[in-house]
Coordinates of all heavy atoms in Angstrom, one line a residue:
M40 N -2.4 -35.1 -0.8 CA -1.5 -34.6 -1.7 C -0.7 -33.5 -1.1 O -1.2 -32.6 -0.4 CB -2.2 -34.1 -3.0 CG -1.3 -33.5 -4.0 SD -2.0 -33.1 -5.6 CE -3.3 -32.0 -5.2
I41 N 0.6 -33.5 -1.3 CA 1.5 -32.4 -0.8 C 1.8 -31.5 -1.9 O 2.2 -31.9 -3.0 CB 2.8 -33.0 -0.2 CG1 2.4 -34.0 0.9 CG2 3.7 -32.0 0.2 CD1 3.6 -34.8 1.4
H42 N 1.6 -30.2 -1.7 CA 1.9 -29.2 -2.7 C 2.1 -27.8 -2.0 O 1.7 -27.6 -0.9 CB 0.8 -29.1 -3.7 CG -0.6 -28.8 -3.2 ND1 -1.0 -27.6 -2.8 CD2 -1.6 -29.6 -2.9 CE1 -2.2 -27.6 -2.3 NE2 -2.6 -28.9 -2.4
P43 N 2.7 -26.9 -2.7 CA 2.9 -25.5 -2.1 C 1.6 -24.9 -1.8 O 0.6 -25.1 -2.5 CB 3.6 -24.8 -3.2 CG 4.2 -25.8 -4.1 CD 3.3 -27.0 -4.0
S44 N 1.5 -24.1 -0.8 CA 0.3 -23.5 -0.3 C -0.3 -22.6 -1.4 O -1.6 -22.4 -1.4 CB 0.5 -22.7 1.0 OG 1.5 -21.6 0.7
D45 N 0.5 -22.0 -2.3 CA -0.1 -21.1 -3.4 C -0.5 -21.9 -4.6 O -0.9 -21.3 -5.6 CB 0.9 -20.0 -3.7 CG 2.2 -20.6 -4.3 OD1 2.5 -21.8 -4.1 OD2 2.9 -19.8 -4.9
F46 N -0.4 -23.2 -4.6 CA -0.9 -24.1 -5.7 C -2.3 -24.6 -5.4 O -2.5 -25.4 -4.6 CB 0.1 -25.3 -5.8 CG -0.2 -26.2 -7.0 CD1 0.0 -25.8 -8.3 CD2 -0.7 -27.5 -6.7 CE1 -0.2 -26.7 -9.3 CE2 -1.0 -28.3 -7.8 CZ -0.8 -27.9 -9.1
T47 N -3.3 -24.0 -6.1 CA -4.7 -24.3 -5.8 C -5.2 -25.4 -6.7 O -5.0 -25.3 -7.9 CB -5.5 -23.0 -6.0 OG1 -5.0 -22.0 -5.2 CG2 -7.0 -23.3 -5.7
V48 N -5.8 -26.4 -6.1 CA -6.4 -27.5 -6.9 C -7.8 -27.7 -6.4 O -8.1 -27.5 -5.2 CB -5.6 -28.8 -6.9 CG1 -4.2 -28.7 -7.5 CG2 -5.4 -29.3 -5.5
R49 N -8.7 -28.1 -7.3 CA -10.1 -28.4 -7.0 C -10.4 -29.8 -7.5 O -9.8 -30.3 -8.5 CB -11.0 -27.4 -7.6 CG -10.9 -26.0 -7.1 CD -11.8 -25.0 -7.7 NE -11.7 -25.0 -9.2 CZ -10.8 -24.2 -9.9 NH1 -9.9 -23.5 -9.2 NH2 -10.8 -24.3 -11.2
S50 N -11.3 -30.5 -6.8 CA -11.8 -31.8 -7.3 C -12.2 -31.7 -8.7 O -12.9 -30.8 -9.1 CB -12.9 -32.2 -6.4 OG -13.3 -33.5 -6.8
G51 N -11.7 -32.6 -9.6 CA -12.1 -32.6 -11.0 C -11.0 -32.0 -11.9 O -11.0 -32.2 -13.1
D52 N -10.1 -31.2 -11.3 CA -9.0 -30.6 -12.0 C -8.1 -31.7 -12.5 O -7.9 -32.7 -11.8 CB -8.2 -29.7 -11.2 CG -8.8 -28.3 -11.0 OD1 -9.9 -28.1 -11.6 OD2 -8.3 -27.5 -10.1
E53 N -7.6 -31.6 -13.7 CA -6.6 -32.6 -14.2 C -5.2 -31.9 -14.1 O -5.0 -30.8 -14.5 CB -6.9 -32.9 -15.7 CG -6.0 -34.0 -16.2 CD -6.5 -34.5 -17.6 OE1 -7.7 -34.8 -17.8 OE2 -5.6 -34.6 -18.5
I54 N -4.3 -32.7 -13.5 CA -2.9 -32.2 -13.3 C -1.9 -33.0 -14.2 O -2.2 -34.1 -14.6 CB -2.5 -32.2 -11.9 CG1 -2.5 -33.6 -11.3 CG2 -3.3 -31.2 -11.1 CD1 -2.0 -33.7 -9.9
E55 N -0.8 -32.3 -14.5 CA 0.2 -33.0 -15.3 C 1.3 -33.5 -14.4 O 1.6 -32.9 -13.4 CB 0.8 -32.0 -16.3 CG -0.2 -31.4 -17.3 CD -0.8 -32.5 -18.2 OE1 0.0 -33.4 -18.6 OE2 -2.0 -32.4 -18.5
F56 N 1.8 -34.7 -14.8 CA 2.9 -35.3 -14.0 C 4.2 -35.3 -15.0 O 4.1 -35.7 -16.1 CB 2.6 -36.7 -13.7 CG 1.6 -36.9 -12.6 CD1 0.2 -36.8 -12.9 CD2 2.0 -37.1 -11.3 CE1 -0.7 -36.9 -11.9 CE2 1.0 -37.2 -10.3 CZ -0.3 -37.1 -10.6
N57 N 5.3 -34.8 -14.4 CA 6.6 -34.8 -15.1 C 7.7 -35.3 -14.2 O 7.6 -35.2 -13.0 CB 6.9 -33.4 -15.6 CG 5.9 -32.8 -16.5 OD1 5.8 -33.3 -17.6 ND2 5.2 -31.8 -16.1
C58 N 8.7 -35.9 -14.8 CA 9.8 -36.4 -14.1 C 10.5 -35.2 -13.4 O 10.8 -34.2 -14.1 CB 10.8 -37.1 -15.1 SG 12.4 -37.5 -14.3
P59 N 10.8 -35.3 -12.1 CA 11.5 -34.1 -11.5 C 12.9 -34.0 -11.9 O 13.5 -32.9 -11.7 CB 11.4 -34.5 -10.0 CG 11.3 -36.0 -10.0 CD 10.5 -36.4 -11.2
V60 N 13.5 -34.9 -12.5 CA 14.9 -34.8 -13.0 C 15.0 -34.3 -14.4 O 15.7 -33.3 -14.6 CB 15.6 -36.2 -12.8 CG1 17.0 -36.1 -13.4 CG2 15.6 -36.7 -11.4
C61 N 14.3 -34.9 -15.3 CA 14.4 -34.5 -16.7 C 13.2 -33.8 -17.3 O 13.2 -33.4 -18.5 CB 14.8 -35.7 -17.6 SG 13.4 -36.9 -17.7
S62 N 12.2 -33.6 -16.6 CA 10.9 -33.0 -17.0 C 10.1 -33.8 -18.0 O 9.2 -33.2 -18.7 CB 11.2 -31.6 -17.5 OG 11.7 -30.8 -16.5
F63 N 10.4 -35.1 -18.2 CA 9.7 -35.9 -19.2 C 8.2 -36.0 -18.8 O 7.9 -36.2 -17.6 CB 10.3 -37.3 -19.2 CG 9.7 -38.2 -20.2 CD1 10.0 -38.2 -21.6 CD2 8.7 -39.2 -19.8 CE1 9.4 -39.0 -22.5 CE2 8.1 -40.0 -20.7 CZ 8.5 -40.0 -22.1
D64 N 7.4 -35.8 -19.8 CA 5.9 -35.9 -19.6 C 5.5 -37.3 -19.3 O 5.8 -38.2 -20.1 CB 5.2 -35.4 -20.8 CG 3.7 -35.4 -20.7 OD1 3.1 -35.7 -19.6 OD2 3.0 -35.1 -21.7
L65 N 4.9 -37.6 -18.1 CA 4.5 -38.9 -17.7 C 3.1 -39.3 -18.1 O 2.6 -40.3 -17.6 CB 4.7 -39.1 -16.2 CG 6.1 -38.9 -15.7 CD1 6.2 -38.9 -14.2 CD2 7.1 -39.9 -16.3
T66 N 2.5 -38.6 -19.0 CA 1.1 -38.9 -19.5 C 1.2 -40.3 -20.2 O 2.1 -40.6 -21.0 CB 0.6 -37.9 -20.5 OG1 0.5 -36.6 -19.9 CG2 -0.7 -38.3 -21.1
S67 N 0.2 -41.1 -19.8 CA 0.2 -42.5 -20.4 C -0.2 -42.5 -21.9 O -1.0 -41.8 -22.3 CB -0.9 -43.3 -19.6 OG -1.1 -44.6 -20.2
P68 N 0.5 -43.4 -22.6 CA 0.1 -43.5 -24.0 C -1.3 -44.2 -24.2 O -1.8 -44.1 -25.3 CB 1.2 -44.3 -24.6 CG 1.8 -45.1 -23.5 CD 1.6 -44.2 -22.3
R69 N -1.8 -44.8 -23.1 CA -3.1 -45.5 -23.2 C -4.3 -44.5 -23.0 O -5.3 -44.8 -23.5 CB -3.1 -46.5 -22.1 CG -2.2 -47.7 -22.5 CD -1.7 -48.4 -21.3 NE -0.7 -49.4 -21.6 CZ 0.5 -49.1 -22.1 NH1 1.0 -47.9 -22.2 NH2 1.4 -50.1 -22.4
S70 N -4.1 -43.4 -22.3 CA -5.1 -42.4 -22.1 C -4.5 -41.1 -21.5 O -3.7 -41.2 -20.6 CB -6.2 -43.0 -21.1 OG -7.1 -42.0 -20.8
E71 N -5.0 -40.0 -22.1 CA -4.5 -38.7 -21.6 C -4.9 -38.4 -20.2 O -4.3 -37.5 -19.6 CB -5.1 -37.6 -22.5 CG -4.6 -37.7 -24.0 CD -3.2 -37.0 -24.1 OE1 -3.0 -36.0 -23.5 OE2 -2.5 -37.6 -24.9
R72 N -5.9 -39.1 -19.6 CA -6.3 -38.9 -18.3 C -5.5 -39.6 -17.2 O -5.8 -39.5 -16.0 CB -7.8 -39.3 -18.1 CG -8.7 -38.4 -18.9 CD -10.1 -38.7 -18.8 NE -10.6 -38.6 -17.4 CZ -11.3 -37.6 -16.9 NH1 -11.4 -36.5 -17.6 NH2 -11.7 -37.6 -15.7
F73 N -4.4 -40.3 -17.6 CA -3.6 -41.0 -16.7 C -2.1 -40.7 -16.9 O -1.6 -40.3 -17.9 CB -3.7 -42.5 -16.9 CG -5.1 -43.1 -16.5 CD1 -6.1 -43.1 -17.4 CD2 -5.3 -43.5 -15.2 CE1 -7.4 -43.6 -17.0 CE2 -6.5 -44.0 -14.8 CZ -7.6 -44.0 -15.7
A74 N -1.4 -40.9 -15.8 CA 0.1 -40.8 -15.8 C 0.6 -42.2 -15.6 O -0.1 -43.1 -15.0 CB 0.6 -39.9 -14.6
E75 N 1.7 -42.5 -16.2 CA 2.2 -43.9 -16.2 C 3.7 -43.9 -15.8 O 4.5 -43.1 -16.4 CB 2.0 -44.5 -17.6 CG 2.4 -46.0 -17.7 CD 2.0 -46.6 -19.0 OE1 0.9 -46.2 -19.5 OE2 2.7 -47.5 -19.4
L76 N 4.1 -44.8 -14.9 CA 5.5 -45.0 -14.5 C 5.8 -46.4 -14.7 O 5.1 -47.3 -14.3 CB 5.6 -44.7 -13.0 CG 5.3 -43.3 -12.6 CD1 5.2 -43.2 -11.1 CD2 6.3 -42.3 -13.1
S77 N 7.0 -46.7 -15.3 CA 7.6 -48.0 -15.4 C 8.5 -48.2 -14.3 O 9.2 -47.3 -13.8 CB 8.3 -48.2 -16.7 OG 7.4 -48.0 -17.8
F78 N 8.6 -49.5 -13.8 CA 9.5 -49.7 -12.7 C 10.2 -51.1 -12.9 O 9.7 -52.0 -13.6 CB 8.8 -49.7 -11.3 CG 7.8 -50.9 -11.1 CD1 8.2 -52.1 -10.6 CD2 6.5 -50.7 -11.5 CE1 7.3 -53.1 -10.5 CE2 5.6 -51.7 -11.3 CZ 6.0 -52.9 -10.8
A79 N 11.4 -51.2 -12.3 CA 12.2 -52.5 -12.3 C 13.0 -52.5 -11.0 O 13.7 -51.6 -10.7 CB 13.1 -52.5 -13.5
Q80 N 12.8 -53.6 -10.3 CA 13.5 -53.8 -9.1 C 13.8 -55.3 -9.0 O 12.9 -56.1 -8.8 CB 12.8 -53.4 -7.8 CG 13.6 -53.5 -6.6 CD 12.9 -52.9 -5.4 OE1 11.8 -52.4 -5.5 NE2 13.5 -53.1 -4.2
G81 N 15.1 -55.6 -9.1 CA 15.5 -57.1 -9.2 C 14.8 -57.7 -10.4 O 14.9 -57.1 -11.5
E82 N 14.1 -58.8 -10.2 CA 13.4 -59.4 -11.3 C 12.0 -58.9 -11.5 O 11.3 -59.2 -12.5 CB 13.3 -60.9 -11.0 CG 14.7 -61.6 -11.1 CD 14.6 -63.1 -11.0 OE1 13.5 -63.7 -11.2 OE2 15.7 -63.7 -10.7
D83 N 11.5 -58.0 -10.6 CA 10.2 -57.4 -10.7 C 10.2 -56.3 -11.6 O 11.1 -55.4 -11.5 CB 9.6 -57.0 -9.3 CG 9.3 -58.2 -8.4 OD1 9.0 -59.2 -8.9 OD2 9.4 -58.0 -7.2
Q84 N 9.3 -56.2 -12.6 CA 9.1 -55.1 -13.4 C 7.7 -54.9 -13.8 O 6.9 -55.8 -13.8 CB 10.0 -55.2 -14.7 CG 9.7 -56.4 -15.5 CD 10.6 -56.5 -16.7 OE1 11.1 -55.5 -17.2 NE2 10.9 -57.7 -17.1
G85 N 7.3 -53.7 -14.2 CA 6.0 -53.5 -14.6 C 5.7 -52.0 -14.8 O 6.6 -51.2 -14.9
R86 N 4.4 -51.6 -14.7 CA 3.9 -50.3 -14.8 C 2.9 -50.0 -13.7 O 2.1 -50.8 -13.3 CB 3.2 -50.0 -16.2 CG 4.2 -50.2 -17.3 CD 3.5 -49.9 -18.7 NE 2.2 -50.4 -18.9 CZ 1.9 -51.6 -19.5 NH1 2.9 -52.3 -20.0 NH2 0.7 -52.0 -19.7
V87 N 2.9 -48.7 -13.3 CA 1.8 -48.2 -12.4 C 1.2 -47.1 -13.2 O 1.8 -46.2 -13.7 CB 2.4 -47.7 -11.1 CG1 1.3 -47.1 -10.2 CG2 3.0 -48.8 -10.3
I88 N -0.2 -47.1 -13.3 CA -0.9 -46.1 -14.0 C -1.9 -45.5 -13.1 O -2.7 -46.2 -12.4 CB -1.7 -46.7 -15.2 CG1 -0.6 -47.4 -16.2 CG2 -2.5 -45.7 -16.0 CD1 -1.3 -48.2 -17.3
I89 N -1.8 -44.1 -12.9 CA -2.7 -43.4 -12.0 C -3.5 -42.3 -12.7 O -3.0 -41.7 -13.6 CB -1.9 -42.8 -10.8 CG1 -0.8 -41.8 -11.3 CG2 -1.2 -43.9 -10.0 CD1 -0.1 -41.1 -10.3
S90 N -4.7 -42.0 -12.1 CA -5.5 -41.0 -12.7 C -4.8 -39.6 -12.4 O -4.2 -39.4 -11.4 CB -6.9 -41.0 -12.0 OG -7.6 -39.9 -12.4
K91 N -4.9 -38.7 -13.4 CA -4.4 -37.4 -13.3 C -5.5 -36.4 -12.8 O -5.3 -35.2 -12.7 CB -3.9 -36.9 -14.6 CG -2.7 -37.7 -15.1 CD -2.0 -37.1 -16.3 CE -2.7 -36.4 -17.3 NZ -1.9 -35.9 -18.5
V92 N -6.7 -36.9 -12.5 CA -7.8 -36.1 -12.1 C -7.9 -36.0 -10.5 O -8.0 -37.0 -9.9 CB -9.1 -36.6 -12.6 CG1 -10.3 -35.8 -12.2 CG2 -9.1 -36.7 -14.2
I93 N -7.8 -34.8 -10.0 CA -7.9 -34.6 -8.6 C -9.2 -35.2 -8.0 O -10.3 -34.9 -8.5 CB -7.8 -33.1 -8.2 CG1 -6.5 -32.5 -8.7 CG2 -8.0 -32.9 -6.7 CD1 -5.3 -33.1 -8.0
G94 N -9.1 -36.0 -7.0 CA -10.3 -36.6 -6.3 C -10.7 -37.9 -6.9 O -11.5 -38.6 -6.3
E95 N -10.1 -38.3 -8.0 CA -10.5 -39.6 -8.7 C -9.6 -40.6 -8.2 O -8.3 -40.5 -8.1 CB -10.4 -39.4 -10.2 CG -10.9 -40.6 -10.9 CD -11.1 -40.3 -12.4 OE1 -10.0 -40.2 -13.1 OE2 -12.2 -40.0 -12.8
Q96 N -10.1 -41.8 -7.8 CA -9.3 -42.9 -7.3 C -9.3 -44.0 -8.2 O -10.2 -44.8 -8.3 CB -9.9 -43.3 -5.9 CG -9.8 -42.2 -4.8 CD -10.5 -42.6 -3.6 OE1 -10.8 -43.8 -3.3 NE2 -10.8 -41.7 -2.7
A97 N -8.3 -44.0 -9.1 CA -8.2 -45.1 -10.1 C -6.7 -45.3 -10.3 O -6.0 -44.5 -10.9 CB -8.9 -44.7 -11.4
T98 N -6.2 -46.5 -9.9 CA -4.8 -46.8 -10.0 C -4.7 -48.3 -10.6 O -5.5 -49.1 -10.1 CB -4.1 -46.7 -8.7 OG1 -4.2 -45.4 -8.2 CG2 -2.6 -47.1 -8.8
F99 N -3.8 -48.5 -11.5 CA -3.6 -49.8 -12.1 C -2.2 -50.3 -11.9 O -1.3 -49.5 -12.2 CB -4.0 -49.8 -13.5 CG -5.4 -49.3 -13.7 CD1 -5.7 -48.0 -13.9 CD2 -6.5 -50.2 -13.8 CE1 -7.0 -47.5 -14.1 CE2 -7.8 -49.8 -13.9 CZ -8.0 -48.4 -14.1
L100 N -2.0 -51.5 -11.5 CA -0.7 -52.1 -11.4 C -0.6 -53.2 -12.5 O -1.5 -54.1 -12.5 CB -0.4 -52.8 -10.0 CG 0.8 -53.6 -9.9 CD1 2.1 -52.8 -10.0 CD2 0.8 -54.3 -8.5
I101 N 0.4 -53.2 -13.3 CA 0.5 -54.1 -14.4 C 1.9 -54.7 -14.4 O 2.9 -54.0 -14.6 CB 0.2 -53.4 -15.8 CG1 -1.1 -52.8 -15.8 CG2 0.3 -54.4 -16.9 CD1 -1.4 -51.8 -16.9
M102 N 1.9 -56.0 -14.2 CA 3.2 -56.8 -14.2 C 3.0 -58.0 -15.1 O 1.8 -58.4 -15.4 CB 3.5 -57.2 -12.8 CG 3.8 -56.0 -11.8 SD 4.0 -56.5 -10.1 CE 5.6 -57.3 -10.2
P103 N 4.0 -58.6 -15.6 CA 3.8 -59.8 -16.5 C 2.9 -60.9 -15.9 O 2.0 -61.4 -16.7 CB 5.2 -60.3 -16.6 CG 6.1 -59.2 -16.4 CD 5.4 -58.3 -15.4
Q104 N 2.9 -61.2 -14.7 CA 2.1 -62.2 -14.1 C 1.0 -61.7 -13.2 O 0.3 -62.5 -12.5 CB 3.0 -63.2 -13.4 CG 4.1 -63.9 -14.2 CD 3.5 -64.6 -15.4 OE1 2.5 -65.3 -15.3 NE2 4.2 -64.5 -16.5
R105 N 0.8 -60.4 -13.2 CA -0.2 -59.8 -12.2 C -0.7 -58.5 -12.8 O 0.0 -57.7 -13.2 CB 0.6 -59.6 -10.9 CG -0.2 -59.0 -9.8 CD 0.7 -59.0 -8.6 NE 0.2 -58.0 -7.6 CZ 0.9 -57.5 -6.7 NH1 2.2 -57.9 -6.5 NH2 0.4 -56.6 -5.9
K106 N -2.0 -58.4 -12.7 CA -2.7 -57.2 -13.1 C -3.8 -56.9 -12.1 O -4.6 -57.7 -11.8 CB -3.3 -57.3 -14.5 CG -2.3 -57.5 -15.6 CD -3.0 -57.9 -16.9 CE -2.0 -58.1 -18.0 NZ -0.9 -58.9 -17.8
E107 N -3.7 -55.7 -11.5 CA -4.6 -55.3 -10.4 C -5.1 -53.9 -10.6 O -4.4 -53.1 -11.2 CB -4.0 -55.4 -9.1 CG -3.6 -56.8 -8.7 CD -3.1 -56.9 -7.2 OE1 -3.8 -56.4 -6.3 OE2 -2.1 -57.5 -7.0
S108 N -6.3 -53.6 -10.2 CA -6.8 -52.2 -10.2 C -7.2 -51.8 -8.7 O -7.7 -52.7 -8.0 CB -8.0 -52.1 -11.1 OG -9.0 -53.0 -10.8
F109 N -7.1 -50.6 -8.4 CA -7.4 -50.1 -7.1 C -8.1 -48.8 -7.2 O -7.9 -48.0 -8.0 CB -6.1 -49.8 -6.3 CG -5.1 -51.0 -6.2 CD1 -4.2 -51.2 -7.2 CD2 -5.2 -51.9 -5.2 CE1 -3.3 -52.2 -7.2 CE2 -4.3 -53.0 -5.2 CZ -3.4 -53.2 -6.1
G110 N -9.1 -48.6 -6.2 CA -9.8 -47.3 -6.2 C -11.2 -47.4 -6.6 O -11.6 -48.2 -7.4
K111 N -12.0 -46.6 -6.0 CA -13.5 -46.6 -6.2 C -13.9 -46.2 -7.6 O -15.0 -46.5 -8.0 CB -14.2 -45.7 -5.1 CG -13.9 -44.3 -5.3 CD -14.7 -43.5 -4.2 CE -14.4 -42.0 -4.3 NZ -14.8 -41.4 -5.5
D112 N -13.0 -45.6 -8.3 CA -13.4 -45.1 -9.7 C -12.9 -45.9 -10.8 O -13.1 -45.5 -12.0 CB -12.9 -43.6 -9.8 CG -13.6 -42.7 -8.8 OD1 -14.8 -42.8 -8.6 OD2 -12.8 -42.0 -8.1
V113 N -12.3 -47.1 -10.6 CA -11.8 -47.9 -11.7 C -12.8 -48.4 -12.6 O -12.6 -48.5 -13.8 CB -10.9 -49.1 -11.2 CG1 -9.7 -48.6 -10.5 CG2 -11.7 -50.0 -10.3
E114 N -14.0 -48.6 -12.2 CA -15.1 -49.1 -13.0 C -15.5 -48.1 -14.1 O -16.0 -48.4 -15.1 CB -16.3 -49.6 -12.2 CG -16.0 -50.8 -11.3 CD -15.6 -52.0 -12.1 OE1 -16.1 -52.3 -13.2 OE2 -14.7 -52.7 -11.6
G115 N -15.3 -46.8 -13.8 CA -15.6 -45.8 -14.7 C -14.7 -45.7 -15.9 O -15.0 -45.0 -16.9
Y116 N -13.7 -46.6 -16.0 CA -12.8 -46.6 -17.1 C -12.9 -47.9 -17.9 O -11.9 -48.3 -18.4 CB -11.4 -46.4 -16.6 CG -11.2 -44.9 -16.3 CD1 -11.2 -44.5 -14.9 CD2 -11.0 -44.0 -17.3 CE1 -11.1 -43.1 -14.6 CE2 -10.9 -42.6 -17.0 CZ -10.9 -42.2 -15.7 OH -10.8 -40.9 -15.4
S117 N -14.1 -48.4 -18.0 CA -14.2 -49.7 -18.8 C -13.9 -49.4 -20.3 O -13.6 -50.4 -21.0 CB -15.6 -50.2 -18.6 OG -16.6 -49.3 -19.0
A118 N -14.0 -48.2 -20.8 CA -13.7 -47.9 -22.2 C -12.3 -47.7 -22.4 O -11.8 -47.7 -23.6 CB -14.5 -46.6 -22.6
V119 N -11.5 -47.6 -21.4 CA -10.0 -47.5 -21.5 C -9.4 -48.9 -21.3 O -9.5 -49.5 -20.2 CB -9.4 -46.5 -20.6 CG1 -7.9 -46.4 -20.7 CG2 -10.1 -45.1 -20.8
N120 N -8.7 -49.4 -22.3 CA -8.1 -50.7 -22.2 C -6.8 -50.6 -21.5 O -5.7 -50.7 -22.1 CB -8.0 -51.3 -23.6 CG -7.5 -52.8 -23.5 OD1 -7.3 -53.3 -22.4 ND2 -7.4 -53.4 -24.7
I121 N -6.8 -50.3 -20.2 CA -5.6 -50.1 -19.4 C -4.6 -51.3 -19.5 O -3.4 -51.1 -19.6 CB -5.9 -49.8 -17.9 CG1 -6.6 -48.5 -17.8 CG2 -4.7 -49.8 -17.1 CD1 -5.9 -47.3 -18.2
F122 N -5.1 -52.5 -19.5 CA -4.3 -53.7 -19.5 C -3.8 -54.1 -20.9 O -3.1 -55.1 -21.1 CB -5.0 -54.8 -18.8 CG -5.4 -54.5 -17.4 CD1 -6.7 -54.5 -17.0 CD2 -4.4 -54.2 -16.5 CE1 -7.0 -54.3 -15.7 CE2 -4.7 -53.9 -15.1 CZ -6.1 -53.9 -14.7
G123 N -4.3 -53.4 -21.9 CA -3.9 -53.7 -23.3 C -3.2 -52.5 -24.0 O -2.3 -51.9 -23.5
E124 N -3.8 -52.1 -25.0 CA -3.1 -51.1 -25.9 C -4.1 -49.9 -26.2 O -4.4 -49.8 -27.4 CB -2.6 -51.7 -27.2 CG -1.6 -52.8 -26.9 CD -0.3 -52.2 -26.2 OE1 0.0 -51.0 -26.5 OE2 0.3 -52.9 -25.4
G125 N -4.5 -49.2 -25.3 CA -5.2 -48.0 -25.6 C -6.7 -48.0 -25.4 O -7.2 -48.8 -24.6
V126 N -7.5 -47.2 -26.1 CA -8.9 -47.1 -25.9 C -9.6 -48.1 -26.8 O -9.3 -48.3 -27.9 CB -9.3 -45.6 -26.3 CG1 -10.8 -45.5 -26.2 CG2 -8.6 -44.6 -25.5
K127 N -10.6 -48.7 -26.2 CA -11.5 -49.7 -26.9 C -12.4 -48.9 -27.9 O -12.8 -47.8 -27.6 CB -12.3 -50.5 -25.9 CG -11.6 -51.4 -25.0 CD -12.6 -52.1 -24.1 CE -11.9 -52.9 -23.0 NZ -12.8 -53.5 -22.1
D128 N -12.7 -49.5 -29.0 CA -13.6 -49.0 -29.9 C -15.0 -49.0 -29.4 O -15.4 -49.9 -28.8 CB -13.5 -49.7 -31.3 CG -12.2 -49.4 -32.0 OD1 -11.6 -48.3 -31.7 OD2 -11.7 -50.2 -32.7

C-alpha cells in the first residue's frame, strides 16, 4: 500500500475509500467492510469489491458471466452475500 509517511495504519484497521475526483464514498451497499467499484470497458462491465480492513485479503470480481473471489480471507465472509444482495440471514 502506498501512503504518506505520516499516515499510520495497523493490521485490522478499517480504512475508507473515496473517489479522488468527487469524494464519493465507495463503501459497498452489500457490506460496510468492503469498498466497491463499478467498471465498464468496451463490452466488459462489472464490479470489483475489496476489503477495507488492513491486512485482510478478500477481493471479489463480479461480471454478468463470471464471478470470482481472490485472497486467503474470502472464506471468512460466507455470511456476506457478495454475489447477491447483501447480508444473508
